Amino acid sequence: MNYEFPEIQDFFGSYFHQDWMVEHDTPDQVIADFLQASDTETLLSINKELRFLLKQNKEELVLREYLLKELSCYYCYWNEWESGRAWLMHVLAALNGGLEEID
């Protein structure tokens, strides 16, 4: 278990697991499914952890390995995004959009 980012690890491990492409066609569908299933408290916690992770400014290859090995994220974002930071910013924006819809 990742003690620094338990909510993010739960999100990635539960939604971007090894077989996520069997359940969804796109990563954005995964995020939409998560938003639909999550309460405000969970979204706020993940938002906070994502912002903290982004502030660490990990180098690209370090971030890639961290997402896979420490946070159990099996989405190969580098095939579609210029960087892990760009993809995580996209995830953060989607979460923020989900929070705005709740308010």
Side-chain angles (χ1 to χ4, degrees):
M1 170 166 206
N2 184 292
Y3 294 102
E4 187 174 22
F5 301 113
E7 293 293 335
I8 297 174
Q9 182 185 24
D10 189 44
F11 164 59
F12 286 137
S14 297
Y15 285 85
F16 283 101
H17 51 77
Q18 291 174 326
D19 296 323
W20 72 266
M21 292 188 329
V22 172
E23 299 172 2
H24 300 91
D25 293 327
T26 68
D28 284 341
Q29 288 177 346
V30 174
I31 295 167
D33 187 35
F34 173 73
L35 287 171
Q36 185 178 22
S38 299
D39 59 25
T40 303
E41 182 179 331
T42 300
L43 295 176
L44 289 170
S45 294
I46 291 177
N47 181 302
K48 181 179 178 181
E49 287 184 13
L50 272 176
R51 286 186 287 114
F52 188 72
L53 175 60
L54 287 164
K55 285 181 183 179
Q56 292 181 351
N57 290 320
K58 294 180 184 293
E59 292 182 23
E60 179 58 32
L61 293 178
V62 172
L63 179 59
R64 186 181 299 182
E65 186 170 319
Y66 188 77
L67 285 167
L68 175 63
K69 293 183 178 178
E70 296 295 324
L71 300 178
S72 304
C73 179
Y74 287 89
Y75 168 54
C76 300
Y77 64 82
W78 53 90
N79 292 324
E80 299 179 46
W81 293 88
E82 64 188 50
S83 68
R85 181 173 186 75
W87 180 63
L88 291 174
M89 292 294 293
H90 173 75
V91 173
L92 186 60
L95 293 175
N96 287 336
L99 285 167
E100 288 174 6
E101 288 181 17
I102 293 172
D103 289 342

